[in-house]
Amino acid sequence: RILVESDLSSCVKLFFDTVHTVNAKDYTNEQLNMWAPATTKVTDPGCQTILNHIAYVAEINKMFVGFGDMTKQGYLDRLYVHHNYQRQGVASAIVNKLIADAYKLGLAEITTHSSITAKPFFES
């Protein structure tokens, strides 16, 4: 479904938890803490930008399991999936929604800066 402002606290929690669990195999603790500090708040400017993007959340049985967003220019900014729901099609479902929106906007491509961990997903 489309992300709404009241989803931001769930996004912040999922972002922190995902970075510190899923990405821990590829990054040092120092890198993880720089990327996703425990002090991240919904009111932080970086969190607020998602409200100006095309953004979706994924829920399974009313549990918040993922979110992703893209600028109207086709930059996929964030894509995070709960550590217990990796490799179950959640990220693909979110990206497919964003691709459909990119087509509607007449965009020729979508770009992103991927983590080491997510690189295989994007390459496939």
Side-chain angles (χ1 to χ4, degrees), residues 39-108:
T39 58
T40 303
K41 294 182 175 60
V42 169
T43 55
D44 291 349
C47 291
Q48 291 292 307
T49 61
I50 198 169
L51 298 174
N52 297 319
H53 295 174
I54 300 162
Y56 292 98
V57 301
E59 294 177 318
I60 297 175
N61 297 323
K62 298 186 180 182
M63 181 176 169
F64 194 94
V65 297
F67 72 97
D69 67 297
M70 175 183 73
T71 68
K72 292 178 177 92
Q73 294 74 37
Y75 179 71
L76 196 155
D77 197 0
R78 286 163 280 237
L79 181 62
Y80 292 96
V81 175
H82 189 284
H83 66 274
N84 289 333
Y85 291 86
Q86 298 284 308
R87 302 188 195 292
Q88 295 183 31
V90 175
S92 294
I94 294 168
V95 169
N96 287 338
K97 293 289 286 181
L98 295 171
I99 289 170
D101 286 326
Y103 279 122
K104 289 177 191 172
L105 292 169
L107 299 175

Side-chain angles (χ1 to χ4, degrees), residues 19-28 32 86-87 116-118 120:
V19 168
H20 286 272
T21 56
V22 175
N23 299 97
K25 67 180 180 166
D26 296 312
Y27 295 90
T28 67
L32 297 171
Q86 298 284 308
R87 302 188 195 292
I116 294 166
T117 312

